[in-house]
Amino acid sequence: MSMDDVFKALADPVRRQLLDSLHQRNGQTLGELCEGHDMSRQAVTKHLTILEDANLVATRKDGREKLHFLNPLPIFEIADRWVRKFEHGRLRALDELKKNLEGKSDGKR
Amino acid sequence: MSMDDVFKALADPVRRQLLDSLHQRNGQTLGELCEGHDMSRQAVTKHLTILEDANLVATRKDGREKLHFLNPLPIFEIADRWVRKFEHGRLRALDELKKNLEGKSDGKR
DNA sequence: CCAATACGCAACCATTTGGTTGCTTGTCAA
DNA sequence: TTGACAAGCAACCAAATGGTTGCGTATTGG
């Protein structure tokens, strides 16, 4: 579950939609998660595997069904780290950017 | 600057490193940003273009140099939306996940 | 028991991605 | 003015991605 895996897992709209679906109703089976997606079951399986590898989804087998559960913790971790990193001057960020784009060799370099 | 563009832009370690570099020192030229990356200038240019398309980096031409500036706002927006969406039960998320994985047909379905 | 259901596995394919090289353009400085 | 430097453009390539199909396996309900 490297950080890169989480970023890459989140970079696909289908996978984000799968997370959304699990957020609405947790513990869905593979078949249920396939509904509404215009692709084969195997394609959805591949996406779910990527989400599992990123530790965003955990599974449990129940009989012949496979239940999927959302794990939002990696999302929180990444958000924390990345937001905190750039937090400095969050409010003034737009102003600073504007000035930088207008300013001609403003001396900061 | 769709949300998908931002996610995809952040999904590559080279691009995240470029954002880091700009965070350390804003307004770097293309040549400066290339230093320390074991790839051609053109490869870095492509990554920077993706960051520009995602509105994470803005540029200004200064003579024969091109200056690059970080725009952290899209990161904040995405973090806000996604963290808020899954915020519910953030603290208990891990416990709930554990129980779901252990529990056999806990009746919620 | 056995047929249907739910899922797994693997080969295959088209497109996208991430990189390269070669050449061109524009700007500065000696 | 002209050579060197910074960056742009375009063609090309290998590998990863995202999808497909066909078939195999295990579980369950009638």
Side-chain angles (χ1 to χ4, degrees), chain B residues 90-107:
Chain B
R90 173 169 185 168
L91 293 174
R92 282 156 300 185
L94 192 56
D95 283 344
E96 288 180 12
L97 182 61
K98 263 191 180 177
K99 285 185 185 165
N100 277 327
L101 292 181
E102 294 165 356
K104 310 170 196 282
S105 315
D106 62 342

Side-chain angles (χ1 to χ4, degrees), chain A residues 12 15 39-40 42-43 46-47 50 63-64:
Chain A
D12 187 287
R15 293 194 284 270
M39 64 180 72
S40 69
Q42 286 80 352
K46 285 192 184 180
H47 284 296
I50 292 174
R64 64 181 162 185

Side-chain angles (χ1 to χ4, degrees), chain B residues 45-58:
Chain B
T45 299
K46 285 191 183 181
H47 284 296
L48 286 170
T49 303
I50 291 174
L51 290 171
E52 278 192 67
D53 290 345
N55 207 28
L56 287 162
V57 163

Side-chain angles (χ1 to χ4, degrees), chain B residues 4-77:
Chain B
D4 200 52
D5 288 335
V6 181
F7 271 112
K8 291 214 167 117
L10 291 175
D12 187 286
V14 175
R15 293 193 284 269
R16 292 199 300 276
Q17 196 177 332
L18 286 170
L19 292 181
D20 267 341
S21 181
L22 285 180
H23 182 242
Q24 287 192 324
R25 190 163 58 88
N26 213 7
Q28 290 183 66
T29 68
L30 171 59
E32 289 169 332
L33 287 170
C34 284
E35 292 168 16
H37 287 277
D38 194 19
M39 65 180 72
S40 68
R41 174 177 53 86
Q42 286 79 355
V44 176
T45 299
K46 285 191 183 181
H47 284 296
L48 286 170
T49 303
I50 291 174
L51 290 171
E52 278 192 67
D53 290 345
N55 207 28
L56 287 162
V57 163
T59 63
R60 164 165 66 94
K61 278 210 74 176
D62 184 24
R64 64 181 164 184
E65 293 181 333
K66 188 180 185 184
L67 307 182
H68 297 73
F69 300 92
L70 173 65
N71 178 20
L73 291 183
I75 293 179
F76 296 144
E77 287 181 19

Side-chain angles (χ1 to χ4, degrees), chain A residues 29 41 72:
Chain A
T29 69
R41 174 177 54 85

